[in-house]
Amino acid sequence: MKLSQALEVSPPDRKHQVKGIKKHMAQKKGKDKIPKTYVDKKTGKRKETNPWALAWAQYDKYGKPSSGPEKDSKAKKKVPKK
């Protein structure tokens, strides 16, 4: 197992977010496209974007989502029939 595979763990209840980030990284163009690389501010070197790191940053900042999947996500919350 590679080291990068060992670190690819989604935060609790944010697996759908990692899937969405990967989908937006794969887009060719569009306003919601996430770039595949970025320039590190400390070293000035170009690095590859890590979708798991983005999801963990959101988790660290906002915590565990309370209402289920995000509004933009295709995964929908089940609503009981009346």
Side-chain angles (χ1 to χ4, degrees):
M1 182 186 313
K2 292 182 180 179
L3 179 62
S4 64
Q5 289 176 339
L7 298 176
E8 296 175 351
V9 177
S10 299
D13 293 334
R14 289 197 182 261
K15 289 182 182 180
H16 64 280
Q17 185 180 25
V18 173
K19 285 182 180 180
I21 291 171
K22 285 182 179 180
K23 182 182 89 173
H24 288 292
M25 286 175 63
Q27 287 182 345
K28 298 281 184 205
K29 52 183 156 178
K31 67 176 183 174
D32 54 346
K33 181 185 180 328
I34 297 174
K36 292 182 180 178
T37 60
Y38 67 97
V39 177
D40 188 12
K41 291 180 181 178
K42 291 181 181 177
T43 61
K45 294 183 180 179
R46 185 159 290 281
K47 293 188 173 185
E48 192 173 324
T49 304
N50 184 347
W52 292 274
L54 293 172
W56 273 107
Q58 288 285 308
Y59 178 76
D60 291 341
K61 187 172 183 180
Y62 300 110
K64 191 173 181 179
S66 59
S67 63
E70 295 176 3
K71 295 175 185 175
D72 298 335
S73 175
K74 288 191 177 185
K76 300 213 176 177
K77 194 174 181 182
K78 289 185 178 180
V79 179
K81 293 182 180 179
K82 292 184 179 179

